Amino acid sequence: EVVLTQSPGTLSLSPGERATLSCRSSQSLSSKYFGWYQQKPGQAPRLLIYGASNRATGIPDRFSGSGSGTDFTLTISRLEPEDFAVYYCQQYGSSPPVSFGQGTRLEIK
Amino acid sequence: EVRLVESGGGLVKPGGSLRLSCAASGFTFSRYTMNWVRQAPGKGLEWVSSINSAGGDIHYADSGKGRFTISRDNANDSLFLQMSRLRVEDTAVYYCARRVEGNYDFWGRGILVTVSS
């Protein structure tokens, strides 16, 4: 079973700062099927990054994804007030077919 | 505009059944693999089930195997999740989501299912 572990659990930063969120897999993954999501309270998740490094439609270029194998990173270059939310990583393909990380809460410092 | 609208949620007693529906519009529904993903109150996301475009390739998370049945009606652009023998731990917001390659590019707003006596 593939387990995705996100770190840190909570990240406290100020607007304008750089955020680096990590997702580590218990098994090597295909980058093609790795993604990142943002979720705000009371809303559905929104796809930010697909294929590990591709921005989804309408996602600002301050969001970037990188990584391969077992280590993946979501970077937000300069935090805007609307970026404070919970972020999830997700993989498809390995058993179970789909799994999500437990989430990183990005909060205003 | 792509839209996914869930319905059919509500309060049900442990051991009961519920059928969720997801009405799709704004895209060619029959071409996409569709999924259900749930989120327990205050918790993270949990994949529940998937069904491919033709309905012949179906998968379930262990938590729902033998109790949940996913299906689709391509003629009416609809996705379903029949849930039986419901447990308190099935309480969650259930999202309908479209999958492209390995990721979910569109999600519904979700529907709350509460299992409680």
Side-chain angles (χ1 to χ4, degrees):
Chain A
E1 178 183 345
V2 173
V3 177
L4 299 179
T5 303
Q6 293 186 239
S7 61
T10 302
L11 185 57
S12 299
L13 294 170
S14 301
E17 290 192 292
R18 180 185 186 90
T20 303
L21 286 67
S22 174
C23 181
R24 177 162 289 178
S25 174
S26 60
Q27 299 177 23
S28 183
L29 302 176
S30 169
S31 297
K32 183 179 180 182
Y33 300 131
F34 186 87
W36 290 94
Y37 301 82
Q38 177 193 68
Q39 187 179 34
K40 296 180 179 179
Q43 296 184 16
R46 177 174 70 147
L47 179 65
L48 297 175
I49 301 290
Y50 66 93
S53 60
N54 304 290
R55 275 187 300 277
T57 302
I59 302 303
D61 61 7
R62 64 180 181 272
F63 291 90
S64 63
S66 62
S68 63
T70 61
D71 290 289
F72 297 86
T73 301
L74 174 69
T75 302
I76 310 171
S77 59
R78 294 171 308 279
L79 285 166
E80 297 287 344
E82 61 267 27
D83 298 337
F84 292 91
V86 179
Y87 292 83
Y88 295 95
C89 58
Q90 174 252 322
Q91 69 85 25
Y92 163 79
S94 296
S95 180
V98 179
S99 53
F100 291 90
Q102 84 280 16
T104 289
R105 181 178 304 277
L106 178 56
E107 63 176 27
I108 299 177
K109 188 174 182 179
Chain B
E1 178 195 5
V2 172
R3 289 195 73 202
L4 298 169
V5 180
E6 302 91 343
S7 61
L11 175 64
V12 61
K13 288 182 167 52
S17 299
L18 213 53
R19 189 191 197 212
L20 304 184
S21 300
C22 172
S25 60
F27 66 103
T28 306
F29 179 75
S30 61
R31 293 182 181 175
Y32 291 86
T33 292
M34 298 298 296
N35 287 243
W36 291 97
V37 177
R38 70 184 182 182
Q39 187 169 36
K43 303 297 184 182
L45 301 169
E46 179 190 14
W47 170 76
V48 173
S49 183
S50 67
I51 184 168
N52 73 337
S53 56
D57 187 25
I58 287 173
H59 298 273
Y60 298 99
D62 287 346
S63 56
K65 277 181 186 172
R67 301 187 301 123
F68 293 178
T69 302
I70 192 172
S71 61
R72 64 191 296 159
D73 179 352
N74 286 343
N76 290 293
D77 296 343
S78 296
L79 176 72
F80 305 101
L81 185 68
Q82 177 70 46
M83 302 186 293
S84 61
R85 304 201 309 276
L86 282 161
R87 305 166 180 166
V88 170
E89 54 265 35
D90 294 319
T91 295
V93 173
Y94 285 73
Y95 295 100
C96 165
R98 186 178 87 167
R99 198 185 81 209
V100 175
E101 294 285 1
N103 303 126
Y104 301 106
D105 64 343
F106 283 98
W107 298 64
R109 298 184 69 172
I111 192 78
L112 178 62
V113 171
T114 302
V115 184
S116 174
S117 55

